[in-house]
Amino acid sequence: MDIQGFVSRRGTRHVSLLSDIVVAGGGLTGVCCALTAARRGARVILVQDRPVLGGNASSEVRLWALGATSHMGNNNRWSREGGAINEIMTENVYRNKEGNPVLFDTVLLDIVKREPNITLLLDTVVYEVGKSADDRIEYLVAYNPINETEYRLGAKYFADCTGDGLVGYLAGVPYRMGAEEKEVYGEGFAPDKARYGELLGHTILFYMKDTGKPVEYYAPDYALKDVEKYISKINNDEYFSIHHHGCKYWWIEYGGRLDTIHDAEEIKQELWKVVYGIWDYIKNSGKFPQMATYTLEWVGTIPGKRESRRMQGLYTLTQQDIIEQNTHYDAVSYGGWAIDLHPSDGVYADGRACNQWHSKGVYQIPYRCFLSSHVRNLMFGGRIMSSSHVANGSTRVMCTSASGGQAIGMALALCALGHFEPSEFVDPAKIGILQSELVESGQYLPGVQASPALNLLDKATVTPSSTYLFSGYPSNGIWRRLVFSTAALFPVCGDMPCIKLKAKADEAAELRVELRVSGRKDGFTPDRTIDTCVIRLEEGEQEVAIEFKASFDRSEYVFVCFMANENISLEESDTLLTGTTTVLNQINLAVSNLGRQDPPEGIGINSFEFWCPQRRPEARNIAFSLEPPLEIYSVDMMRNAIARPAAGASNAWAADLSDKAPEIVVEWPDPQTVSELKLFFDTDYDQAMETVQMGHYDNVMPCCVRRFSVTDADGTLLAAREENHQALNCLKRDKPVTTTKLTLRLSHPSAGIPASLFYMIIT
């Protein structure tokens, strides 16, 4: 090796890169933005200031990623986000159902590195914005201390997914930080800034493990002493338990009264002080001898941040948009997490560590929230989107942010490919183009009628080999005691069928059954009772028939509610079917769900009951039969471009279980040239797929079709999959085929679950 002699000064290496889009920030928002843009054909540079992708979801922070499903503790049925984030969540459950945060890092890196249109720069910190005009960014300057390289990243368009809005800040975009006064947006839940504070703080998590032998712990001098004196929640069973670790300690929060950007180092060190103090209390207070063999396995080195800058967009989302589920012509994303505000004093605050108030359903997020009028080629996504402090309490969560990331990635890709400028999609006449592209990529847009601009399915005849008739659920011989009110949830169009089932009473009792629907069109809060049936039961087992006098002029989800009575048991069923489920009026403290929500008067929040599903394997249906059966799985459902149960319908075709070789035949009167087929399967959008710590029963969702094949009119095999576990399958041919017929053959996921399909796009 040659010796390098003395010089007066040296500089670092400089590298210039050009692309169509630079995405700054590699959290879930930036990853989904980059993936979507790259898959649409744009060249993307994804620059991340950390050594791993994922942001708050990464192994560096280890917070579980969630969105509208909210730990399955709200009334947002089948609400898990679609598109790129659904692919990531589903892939993680498939590879990593135990929730190992290190393995989640590998899932993200693997998905990004598979995309040839993405150039990934890890450990690379953006610190300068270069402009060609006041309203246009020309390049970003970033530095990687690992390889001692300074990068000049030029592009046509830029996405700020940094979490703190660094690119927008450097580019001069107006922003807000902190809470608004109630009068600004008329938000009833706007906090008292003097008492409650203006910002949500940071959290550092920790993990522990049992070594099987005694372990001494010597706390550092900076660890918090007298923990019980300073942290009242240590004496609250809802928050503190020696069996908790990881995300269960989300309430170790600090920094809400500081500058959550510039005081971040001070905040981090205070959080370390608290964490090591709590562990000292657990190990050395003498109150927990059962912890003698435990060691502190991991403590976060960077805090998980909840709130900082919020950029000023063309529209600011507010509390009313969330609670009233206002509709927006330019909806490109959605949310459903509760409005979740925390006291700014965090871990040192007395009382509740958070105040969560849920809406009755998911809410739309408009395109204008991601767009600034001041810098024409910049969009921003994630928790920095344009929202009030109150609304940010909901929109800040990771899967909601990631859904917005997909929207801006698609918008910028369409711009980069030469069709539009970002501001043009604000035009009501053009937003439909973006919405259609999002639907085609798997994004779900509640309340939006959008379908791909081109789908050869629209002019084809579609013939299934069979169709499943919903006649109820067969019994598995197990009885469920009605400790909680329990409802069967399924769609009905026309007359309500007769429901027959077996009931068992410990003594003479009354079984009260209510037929409920949602007062909000297409909602899933059973707040309107339209009929009631009271059945007198004798002691022992008996057959029961329930007849409601109700008819529906359009398809609508109904709740058949078996009201709580601990003296009565009903038979269960193991059968699972697409677009139907069972929900219970029970408690989920993880999301402030006490069975119903009763907010204080004057804060603009609704009162209502929660009816939520259980997690598998506990999730089982009530066994009953319907006379006559319901036709809820017509093949015509596949034409409506809604790839999940929603809008009052299952939106799925399903084959009869007796059909041993289910297939769908698509035929045209004239030959068609086919280059790609997209199939949308059921990966159970009602299941929360927390990325870490929780663990999951299934690694493949039970209703997902695993094996399928596609042939043309000559019987030539065009595509096949043997181990599918994803919702969206894109089958693209290197060489298009011209044919008058496609035959899709599917296998039932299991002996008791029929093959089903939501939607098909043929181009």
Side-chain angles (χ1 to χ4, degrees):
M1 179 180 293
D2 293 336
I3 296 176
Q4 302 297 315
F6 173 78
V7 296
S8 62
R9 188 174 63 179
R10 293 188 178 96
T12 56
R13 184 176 65 152
H14 290 251
V15 173
S16 292
L17 299 175
L18 287 173
S19 66
D20 296 316
I21 302 165
V22 172
V23 179
L28 293 185
T29 305
V31 167
C32 290
C33 177
L35 285 172
T36 303
R39 290 171 176 177
R40 188 57 181 83
R43 295 172 301 128
V44 179
I45 296 171
L46 175 59
V47 54
Q48 162 72 329
D49 63 355
R50 303 300 306 171
V52 292
L53 296 167
N56 281 346
S58 74
S59 63
E60 291 190 308
V61 181
R62 305 193 179 193
L63 179 65
W64 46 41
L66 276 174
T69 54
S70 188
H71 289 303
M72 298 169 63
N74 60 17
N75 291 347
N76 300 342
R77 297 284 62 77
W78 297 291
S79 65
R80 196 177 69 246
E81 294 73 15
I85 187 59
N86 183 62
E87 176 187 341
I88 289 168
M89 303 290 275
T90 305
E91 190 67 26
N92 184 59
V93 168
Y94 179 69
R95 301 190 193 184
N96 179 32
K97 71 175 185 175
E98 295 78 19
N100 183 325
V102 176
L103 294 183
F104 184 59
D105 288 348
T106 70
V107 169
L108 289 177
L109 186 61
D110 208 22
I111 289 175
V112 168
K113 287 180 73 67
R114 281 202 299 263
E115 293 302 321
N117 280 341
I118 295 178
T119 298
L120 175 62
L121 301 177
L122 295 174
D123 288 305
T124 306
V125 182
V126 171
Y127 68 89
E128 184 179 328
V129 167
K131 286 185 171 182
S132 59
D134 282 347
D135 63 354
R136 186 166 290 272
I137 297 172
E138 183 180 358
Y139 60 87
L140 306 182
V141 181
Y143 181 70
N144 184 328
I146 306 300
N147 63 10
E148 296 184 353
T149 301
E150 180 179 278
Y151 294 93
R152 177 178 165 132
L153 308 175
K156 302 174 185 175
Y157 300 98
F158 297 83
D160 185 345
C161 303
T162 59
D164 285 331
L166 177 62
V167 176
Y169 173 79
L170 294 174
V173 175
Y175 68 93
R176 290 180 181 269
M177 197 163 172
E180 295 88 358
E181 302 289 349
K182 289 188 178 185
E183 295 74 20
V184 174
Y185 296 116
E187 296 172 307
F189 192 39
D192 178 336
K193 295 197 287 186
R195 184 181 63 84
Y196 204 73
E198 292 202 48
L199 287 165
L200 280 68
H202 303 185
T203 288
I204 277 181
L205 305 173
F206 68 88
Y207 278 60
M208 61 185 180
K209 73 174 181 180
D210 189 351
T211 67
K213 59 184 179 181
V215 176
E216 298 284 344
Y217 175 65
Y218 302 95
D221 290 343
Y222 60 78
L224 181 67
K225 310 300 189 292
D226 299 324
V227 166
E228 288 184 312
K229 175 182 176 181
Y230 294 104
I231 303 176
S232 62
K233 295 175 183 64
I234 284 290
N235 298 309
N236 186 328
D237 292 342
E238 181 182 348
Y239 297 111
F240 176 75
S241 168
I242 58 173
H243 303 295
H244 287 174
H245 70 174
C247 301
K248 293 289 187 180
Y249 276 107
W250 58 267
W251 54 270
I252 298 179
E253 180 177 356
Y254 181 74
R257 295 209 184 263
L258 301 176
D259 182 331
T260 53
I261 296 174
H262 298 109
D263 294 332
E265 280 297 316
E266 177 184 338
I267 293 168
K268 177 180 72 175
Q269 293 186 36
E270 184 70 18
L271 287 167
W272 277 340
K273 173 182 171 181
V274 172
V275 165
Y276 289 110
I278 288 176
W279 186 246
D280 187 32
Y281 172 71
I282 291 172
K283 289 290 290 184
N284 297 324
S285 67
K287 295 185 176 183
F288 312 107
Q290 63 271 49
M291 301 301 291
T293 59
Y294 279 77
T295 189
L296 193 59
E297 182 181 29
W298 173 86
V299 176
T301 55
I302 61 171
K305 187 178 294 188
R306 292 181 174 86
E307 184 181 12
S308 56
R309 300 184 184 104
R310 304 187 311 279
M311 310 313 290
Q312 183 178 319
L314 301 183
Y315 183 89
T316 300
L317 202 78
T318 66
Q319 172 183 330
Q320 293 89 326
D321 290 303
I322 293 172
I323 297 303
E324 299 168 16
Q325 293 104 62
N326 292 334
T327 57
H328 304 278
Y329 76 92
D330 59 339
V332 291
S333 181
Y334 70 97
W337 186 262
I339 296 179
D340 181 4
L341 299 184
H342 301 195
S344 292
D345 292 319
V347 69
Y348 296 124
D350 293 327
R352 297 200 60 78
C354 72
N355 284 282
Q356 292 183 322
W357 298 111
H358 298 259
S359 62
K360 283 189 175 183
V362 298
Y363 57 88
Q364 297 177 343
I365 300 177
Y367 177 73
R368 288 162 291 158
C369 289
F370 305 109
L371 190 67
S372 169
S373 61
H374 296 82
V375 180
R376 297 177 59 194
N377 63 338
L378 172 69
M379 296 189 71
F380 32 77
R383 67 171 183 260
I384 65 171
M385 62 163 270
S386 183
S387 69
S388 69
H389 167 76
V390 173
N392 180 258
S394 174
T395 61
R396 63 184 171 82
V397 296
M398 282 185 276
C399 290
T400 302
S401 294
S403 177
Q406 173 146 348
I408 65 176
M410 182 63 75
L412 293 180
L414 294 177
C415 293
L417 295 172
H419 303 307
F420 303 98
E421 282 289 286
S423 60
E424 291 186 58
F425 289 121
V426 174
D427 185 344
K430 291 185 177 177
I431 188 63
I433 297 168
L434 175 58
Q435 291 168 330
S436 294
E437 291 272 0
L438 287 168
V439 167
E440 188 168 348
S441 70
Q443 185 92 316
Y444 172 53
L445 302 178
V448 174
Q449 297 296 318
S451 57
L454 174 64
N455 188 358
L456 297 177
L457 185 73
D458 294 339
K459 57 182 182 180
T461 300
V462 183
T463 307
S465 58
S466 64
T467 300
Y468 189 95
L469 293 176
F470 179 51
S471 58
Y473 307 102
S475 171
N476 62 9
I478 299 173
W479 293 90
R480 175 189 295 184
R481 193 173 294 276
L482 283 177
V483 177
F484 300 101
S485 295
T486 303
L489 178 60
F490 53 87
V492 176
C493 185
D495 294 336
M496 187 70 191
C498 176
I499 303 167
K500 294 185 177 181
L501 52 82
K502 278 187 179 181
K504 180 168 64 175
D506 298 339
E507 58 189 35
E510 287 188 346
L511 173 62
R512 181 180 179 88
V513 188
E514 297 180 0
L515 181 64
R516 298 190 187 183
V517 296
S518 171
R520 174 178 174 264
K521 181 182 178 182
D522 304 329
F524 290 103
T525 297
D527 51 5
R528 181 171 159 241
T529 303
I530 58 177
D531 202 357
T532 301
C533 183
V534 178
I535 300 169
R536 299 187 181 280
L537 302 179
E538 299 176 353
E539 182 180 346
E541 297 181 20
Q542 52 227 275
E543 299 279 349
V544 171
I546 303 164
E547 297 195 46
F548 292 116
K549 296 180 177 65
S551 186
F552 303 90
D553 57 7
R554 69 177 186 95
S555 185
E556 185 170 352
Y557 268 94
V558 302
F559 294 75
V560 179
C561 303
F562 302 95
M563 307 308 289
N565 187 329
E566 295 193 28
N567 291 318
I568 298 174
S569 299
L570 303 178
E571 285 187 307
E572 291 185 340
S573 175
D574 293 324
T575 297
L576 300 173
L577 298 172
T578 293
T580 74
T581 192
T582 294
V583 291
L584 286 75
N585 179 218
Q586 60 180 5
I587 293 171
N588 187 337
L589 292 178
V591 289
S592 301
N593 174 345
L594 299 175
R596 66 172 292 114
Q597 174 170 283
D598 287 308
E601 290 187 11
I603 69 169
I605 309 289
N606 303 121
S607 296
F608 58 91
E609 293 178 342
F610 292 101
W611 291 73
C612 310
Q614 293 179 300
R615 292 178 184 266
R616 289 190 290 272
E618 287 77 18
R620 289 181 286 271
N621 290 304
I622 297 296
F624 60 85
S625 62
L626 297 178
E627 296 181 5
L630 295 172
E631 299 179 7
I632 65 172
Y633 297 117
S634 165
V635 74
D636 290 337
M637 291 284 182
M638 288 172 41
R639 295 185 183 274
N640 65 14
I642 304 176
R644 66 178 62 208
S650 72
N651 298 313
W653 163 81
D656 191 89
L657 279 171
S658 64
D659 185 350
K660 302 304 180 185
E663 65 178 31
I664 297 173
V665 178
V666 180
E667 294 182 281
W668 297 275
D670 303 306
Q672 305 293 318
T673 299
V674 176
S675 59
E676 186 174 25
L677 179 64
K678 292 183 177 179
L679 304 175
F680 296 77
F681 293 110
D682 183 5
T683 54
D684 195 352
Y685 290 102
D686 217 16
Q687 288 294 308
M689 288 184 171
E690 294 91 343
T691 44
V692 299
Q693 189 167 337
M694 291 286 292
H696 301 282
Y697 181 71
D698 307 292
N699 73 329
V700 178
M701 296 300 104
C703 291
C704 182
V705 170
R706 304 298 310 279
R707 294 189 293 121
F708 62 87
S709 64
V710 183
T711 57
D712 64 9
D714 299 325
T716 302
L717 181 65
L718 304 181
R721 295 274 166 87
E722 290 293 325
E723 294 292 333
N724 175 54
H725 53 273
Q726 285 286 353
L728 174 55
N729 279 253
C730 301
L731 311 173
K732 190 172 182 66
R733 290 185 57 80
D734 294 333
K735 184 178 180 181
V737 62
T738 300
T739 185
T740 58
K741 182 171 76 171
L742 294 178
T743 301
L744 172 63
R745 296 182 175 86
L746 313 98
S747 295
H748 296 300
S750 66
I753 298 178
S756 63
L757 183 67
F758 285 125
Y759 189 42
M760 181 189 304
I761 300 174
I762 306 171
T763 55

Short mmCIF file of all heavy atoms in Angstrom, two decimals, residues 670-690:
data_model
loop_
_atom_site.label_atom_id
_atom_site.label_comp_id
_atom_site.label_asym_id
_atom_site.label_seq_id
_atom_site.Cartn_x
_atom_site.Cartn_y
_atom_site.Cartn_z
N ASP A 670 -63.78 -10.91 -29.65
CA ASP A 670 -62.67 -10.69 -30.58
C ASP A 670 -61.35 -10.88 -29.84
O ASP A 670 -61.27 -10.67 -28.62
CB ASP A 670 -62.72 -9.28 -31.18
CG ASP A 670 -64.04 -9.01 -31.89
OD1 ASP A 670 -64.39 -9.81 -32.78
OD2 ASP A 670 -64.70 -8.01 -31.53
N PRO A 671 -60.29 -11.23 -30.52
CA PRO A 671 -58.98 -11.41 -29.87
C PRO A 671 -58.51 -10.13 -29.18
O PRO A 671 -58.68 -9.03 -29.70
CB PRO A 671 -58.06 -11.80 -31.02
CG PRO A 671 -58.97 -12.37 -32.06
CD PRO A 671 -60.24 -11.59 -31.97
N GLN A 672 -57.92 -10.30 -28.02
CA GLN A 672 -57.38 -9.19 -27.23
C GLN A 672 -55.90 -9.45 -26.96
O GLN A 672 -55.50 -10.59 -26.74
CB GLN A 672 -58.13 -9.07 -25.90
CG GLN A 672 -59.63 -8.93 -26.02
CD GLN A 672 -60.04 -7.62 -26.66
OE1 GLN A 672 -59.48 -6.57 -26.34
NE2 GLN A 672 -61.03 -7.67 -27.55
N THR A 673 -55.12 -8.38 -26.94
CA THR A 673 -53.69 -8.51 -26.61
C THR A 673 -53.50 -8.22 -25.13
O THR A 673 -53.83 -7.13 -24.65
CB THR A 673 -52.86 -7.54 -27.45
OG1 THR A 673 -53.03 -7.86 -28.84
CG2 THR A 673 -51.37 -7.66 -27.09
N VAL A 674 -52.99 -9.22 -24.41
CA VAL A 674 -52.86 -9.15 -22.95
C VAL A 674 -51.38 -9.14 -22.58
O VAL A 674 -50.62 -10.03 -23.00
CB VAL A 674 -53.56 -10.35 -22.28
CG1 VAL A 674 -53.34 -10.32 -20.77
CG2 VAL A 674 -55.05 -10.35 -22.61
N SER A 675 -50.98 -8.14 -21.82
CA SER A 675 -49.59 -8.07 -21.37
C SER A 675 -49.46 -8.24 -19.86
O SER A 675 -48.39 -8.61 -19.38
CB SER A 675 -48.97 -6.73 -21.79
OG SER A 675 -49.70 -5.65 -21.22
N GLU A 676 -50.53 -7.96 -19.11
CA GLU A 676 -50.43 -8.06 -17.65
C GLU A 676 -51.78 -8.41 -17.06
O GLU A 676 -52.84 -7.96 -17.53
CB GLU A 676 -49.93 -6.75 -17.04
CG GLU A 676 -49.67 -6.85 -15.54
CD GLU A 676 -49.03 -5.60 -14.97
OE1 GLU A 676 -49.21 -4.51 -15.55
OE2 GLU A 676 -48.35 -5.70 -13.93
N LEU A 677 -51.73 -9.22 -16.01
CA LEU A 677 -52.92 -9.59 -15.26
C LEU A 677 -52.65 -9.31 -13.79
O LEU A 677 -51.62 -9.73 -13.24
CB LEU A 677 -53.23 -11.08 -15.46
CG LEU A 677 -54.43 -11.67 -14.71
CD1 LEU A 677 -55.73 -11.04 -15.18
CD2 LEU A 677 -54.47 -13.18 -14.90
N LYS A 678 -53.55 -8.56 -13.15
CA LYS A 678 -53.42 -8.28 -11.72
C LYS A 678 -54.60 -8.92 -10.99
O LYS A 678 -55.76 -8.69 -11.34
CB LYS A 678 -53.41 -6.77 -11.46
CG LYS A 678 -52.17 -6.07 -11.98
CD LYS A 678 -52.16 -4.59 -11.64
CE LYS A 678 -50.86 -3.92 -12.12
NZ LYS A 678 -50.83 -2.48 -11.80
N LEU A 679 -54.27 -9.71 -9.97
CA LEU A 679 -55.27 -10.43 -9.19
C LEU A 679 -55.23 -9.93 -7.75
O LEU A 679 -54.15 -9.82 -7.16
CB LEU A 679 -55.00 -11.93 -9.24
CG LEU A 679 -54.93 -12.57 -10.62
CD1 LEU A 679 -54.53 -14.03 -10.50
CD2 LEU A 679 -56.27 -12.44 -11.34
N PHE A 680 -56.40 -9.66 -7.18
CA PHE A 680 -56.52 -9.12 -5.83
C PHE A 680 -57.19 -10.15 -4.93
O PHE A 680 -58.40 -10.38 -5.03
CB PHE A 680 -57.33 -7.82 -5.84
CG PHE A 680 -56.70 -6.69 -6.62
CD1 PHE A 680 -56.73 -6.66 -8.01
CD2 PHE A 680 -56.06 -5.66 -5.95
CE1 PHE A 680 -56.16 -5.62 -8.72
CE2 PHE A 680 -55.48 -4.61 -6.65
CZ PHE A 680 -55.53 -4.59 -8.03
N PHE A 681 -56.39 -10.78 -4.06
CA PHE A 681 -56.88 -11.83 -3.18
C PHE A 681 -57.16 -11.29 -1.77
O PHE A 681 -56.85 -10.13 -1.45
CB PHE A 681 -55.87 -12.98 -3.12
CG PHE A 681 -55.72 -13.73 -4.42
CD1 PHE A 681 -54.56 -13.62 -5.16
CD2 PHE A 681 -56.74 -14.53 -4.90
CE1 PHE A 681 -54.40 -14.30 -6.36
CE2 PHE A 681 -56.60 -15.22 -6.10
CZ PHE A 681 -55.43 -15.10 -6.83
N ASP A 682 -57.71 -12.16 -0.93
CA ASP A 682 -58.13 -11.78 0.41
C ASP A 682 -57.04 -12.10 1.44
O ASP A 682 -56.84 -13.26 1.80
CB ASP A 682 -59.42 -12.52 0.78
CG ASP A 682 -59.96 -12.10 2.14
OD1 ASP A 682 -59.39 -11.18 2.75
OD2 ASP A 682 -60.96 -12.69 2.60
N THR A 683 -56.33 -11.08 1.91
CA THR A 683 -55.37 -11.26 3.00
C THR A 683 -55.92 -10.68 4.30
O THR A 683 -55.17 -10.26 5.18
CB THR A 683 -54.01 -10.60 2.66
OG1 THR A 683 -54.22 -9.23 2.31
CG2 THR A 683 -53.33 -11.32 1.52
N ASP A 684 -57.22 -10.72 4.44
CA ASP A 684 -57.95 -10.33 5.65
C ASP A 684 -57.55 -8.96 6.17
O ASP A 684 -56.77 -8.83 7.11
CB ASP A 684 -57.78 -11.37 6.76
CG ASP A 684 -58.82 -11.16 7.86
OD1 ASP A 684 -59.53 -10.14 7.82
OD2 ASP A 684 -58.93 -12.02 8.76
N TYR A 685 -58.14 -7.94 5.56
CA TYR A 685 -57.86 -6.56 5.94
C TYR A 685 -58.40 -6.20 7.32
O TYR A 685 -58.23 -5.06 7.77
CB TYR A 685 -58.43 -5.62 4.89
CG TYR A 685 -57.69 -5.67 3.57
CD1 TYR A 685 -58.21 -6.37 2.48
CD2 TYR A 685 -56.47 -5.04 3.41
CE1 TYR A 685 -57.53 -6.42 1.27
CE2 TYR A 685 -55.78 -5.07 2.22
CZ TYR A 685 -56.32 -5.77 1.15
OH TYR A 685 -55.64 -5.81 -0.04
N ASP A 686 -59.06 -7.14 7.99
CA ASP A 686 -59.54 -6.88 9.34
C ASP A 686 -58.49 -7.22 10.40
O ASP A 686 -58.67 -6.90 11.57
CB ASP A 686 -60.81 -7.68 9.62
CG ASP A 686 -61.80 -6.91 10.46
OD1 ASP A 686 -61.67 -5.68 10.57
OD2 ASP A 686 -62.72 -7.53 11.02
N GLN A 687 -57.41 -7.88 10.00
CA GLN A 687 -56.39 -8.28 10.95
C GLN A 687 -55.31 -7.20 11.08
O GLN A 687 -54.70 -6.81 10.09
CB GLN A 687 -55.73 -9.59 10.50
CG GLN A 687 -56.61 -10.80 10.66
CD GLN A 687 -56.90 -11.12 12.12
OE1 GLN A 687 -56.01 -11.22 12.94
NE2 GLN A 687 -58.18 -11.27 12.44
N ALA A 688 -55.11 -6.73 12.30
CA ALA A 688 -53.96 -5.86 12.55
C ALA A 688 -52.70 -6.70 12.41
O ALA A 688 -52.65 -7.83 12.87
CB ALA A 688 -54.04 -5.25 13.95
N MET A 689 -51.70 -6.17 11.75
CA MET A 689 -50.46 -6.92 11.54
C MET A 689 -49.30 -6.17 12.19
O MET A 689 -48.33 -5.80 11.53
CB MET A 689 -50.20 -7.11 10.05
CG MET A 689 -51.13 -8.09 9.38
SD MET A 689 -50.68 -8.33 7.63
CE MET A 689 -51.75 -9.73 7.22
N GLU A 690 -49.40 -5.93 13.49
CA GLU A 690 -48.33 -5.24 14.19
C GLU A 690 -46.98 -5.86 13.81
O GLU A 690 -46.81 -7.08 13.85
CB GLU A 690 -48.53 -5.32 15.70
CG GLU A 690 -49.74 -4.58 16.20
CD GLU A 690 -51.00 -5.43 16.28
OE1 GLU A 690 -51.01 -6.52 15.65
OE2 GLU A 690 -51.95 -5.03 16.95
#
